[in-house]
Amino acid sequence: MFELTRFSGSLSGHGHSHPIDFTAEVDGEGVLFVQLARLPFSDTAYGLYHPPEPTELLDRILLEGVAENGATFRSDSFSILHFSHGSIDGQELDFQGQCAVADITRPMAGPHKQASKLWLIRKFSTFHRISRQTPLGKIWAGGIDESADSQKPGGFLHLFDPSDTADDAWLEKSERLFIHVCRVMSFASSSYLMPVVERIFSGTTERMRVVRRGRAARPGLAPFTPIHLEPIFAVACDSFSTRADTVAKLDAAIRWLVMPASSLTCWSGRGSTLRSFHFSFGTHCTRSVKSHNSGSQRSC
C-alpha cells in the first residue's frame, strides 16, 4: 500500500527537537510500521522520552520527515513505546514506537483522471460494485468477502469530485457523507465500519492518512445479505442531506447493536432460575435454563 521509504526529519516534543532518520511503510492490512534510527545521547534527545505515569494518558510527540523522492511524513501522535540505551558512540539511544494517526503525501508519475477520495474499510462486503450519484459526485462502494479472521481492508468507499479540485470545502463535506454512509451500512452489515486508510488523489499528488485501529471483529448475522445492499446504499446516500443529524444521534445504538458479545447472565423467576445467554452475533445463540431444585437443563 505504501512501500518502505526512508525519511529524514525530526522528532519533537516537551520543548525538545532532534534530527532523526526513519523508515515507514504500510502493509496490506493498512498497518503503519515506523522504524527510527538510533540517536546520540544528549539532553535534547533524552528529553523526548516521557514515560507516562499510571494515571496519565499515553505520551504523544511529533514525528515528521521528507524522503528523497519528495514524499512527506507527519504524525503528531507518535508514542515512544520502547527505549533502550547502548554503548556504541553516536548511537546510544534507541527509541521505537507507533503512530495513532499519520499523514503521508507522495508524488505520482502522472495526473489522476479525476480528483477523488477513497476510504479502505475492514469487514465490508458487497456482491458487486454499487454506486450512487450525490450532490458531491458519484460514490462507489464495494468489498471482498474475506475470511472471518482477515484484517485486510477489503471494502471501500470512493467518491469522485466533479469539479476535479478536491478543495477543502469538498473534502469537509465528503468526510461527513462518508461517516453517514458508514453508519447506515454498519447497521446493514452488522459490523461497525471505520476507515483504516484514507487516500485522496488530486493532480499529481496522493495524500494518505493511516489510522491505527484494533482488530475488527467478524461480522454477525446481518439483516441484509451482500447481494441486497444496493437499495440500502442508495438510501444511505440520498438521506445524507436530510437525515445525517438524526442518524448521528443513533450512532451509540448502532455501535451497541453490532458490537461483539460473549455472554449475559441474569436471574429470572424469583431467583430460582439462572438463564445464561451466549451471543455471537450471526453465528449462534444458546440459552441454558437450569432449575436449582430439579437440576434439569434445556438448551435451544
Side-chain angles (χ1 to χ4, degrees), residues 41-64:
F41 181 83
S42 66
D43 291 340
T44 298
Y46 191 74
L48 295 169
Y49 182 53
H50 179 71
E53 298 296 330
T55 57
E56 293 181 334
L57 297 175
L58 191 65
D59 186 47
R60 293 181 173 181
I61 56 179
L62 173 65
L63 175 65
E64 55 187 348

Side-chain angles (χ1 to χ4, degrees), residues 116-293:
S116 64
K117 178 175 181 175
L118 171 68
W119 271 14
L120 300 180
I121 305 167
R122 295 172 179 162
K123 305 303 180 185
F124 179 54
S125 177
T126 61
F127 186 73
H128 52 77
R129 295 179 67 190
I130 53 182
S131 65
R132 191 71 171 177
Q133 189 66 43
T134 76
L136 297 176
K138 193 169 188 177
I139 182 172
W140 290 83
I144 301 173
D145 187 13
E146 300 282 356
S147 64
D149 295 325
S150 173
Q151 295 299 302
K152 291 184 178 180
F156 69 87
L157 293 177
H158 200 173
L159 178 66
F160 292 83
D161 182 7
S163 69
D164 198 26
T165 59
D167 58 21
D168 291 343
W170 183 84
L171 290 174
E172 189 273 332
K173 292 178 181 178
S174 66
E175 183 85 3
R176 292 189 286 111
L177 171 64
F178 275 25
I179 291 173
H180 173 74
V181 171
C182 277
R183 282 178 175 140
V184 176
M185 302 311 292
S186 293
F187 172 77
S189 305
S190 191
S191 177
Y192 197 80
L193 306 177
M194 294 183 292
V196 177
V197 176
E198 175 185 85
R199 304 175 71 175
I200 299 172
F201 306 95
S202 180
T204 58
T205 302
E206 176 189 350
R207 286 176 282 172
M208 178 183 294
R209 169 164 287 189
V210 186
V211 182
R212 180 171 295 275
R213 301 195 187 278
R215 290 183 62 83
R218 65 179 64 185
L221 181 60
F224 303 95
T225 61
I227 197 173
H228 294 137
L229 286 181
E230 188 163 8
I232 311 302
F233 180 71
V235 170
C237 296
D238 295 347
S239 63
F240 169 65
S241 59
T242 58
R243 299 292 181 88
D245 291 340
T246 301
V247 174
K249 295 177 182 178
L250 297 174
D251 184 70
I254 295 172
R255 288 174 183 261
W256 186 88
L257 285 170
V258 303
M259 70 183 294
S262 56
S263 64
L264 171 64
T265 301
C266 61
W267 287 96
S268 177
R270 298 182 181 178
S272 62
T273 303
L274 177 65
R275 299 180 179 228
S276 179
F277 299 86
H278 301 275
F279 291 102
S280 178
F281 292 116
T283 54
H284 66 275
C285 176
T286 302
R287 183 181 69 180
S288 299
V289 181
K290 183 176 181 180
S291 171
H292 281 225
N293 295 326

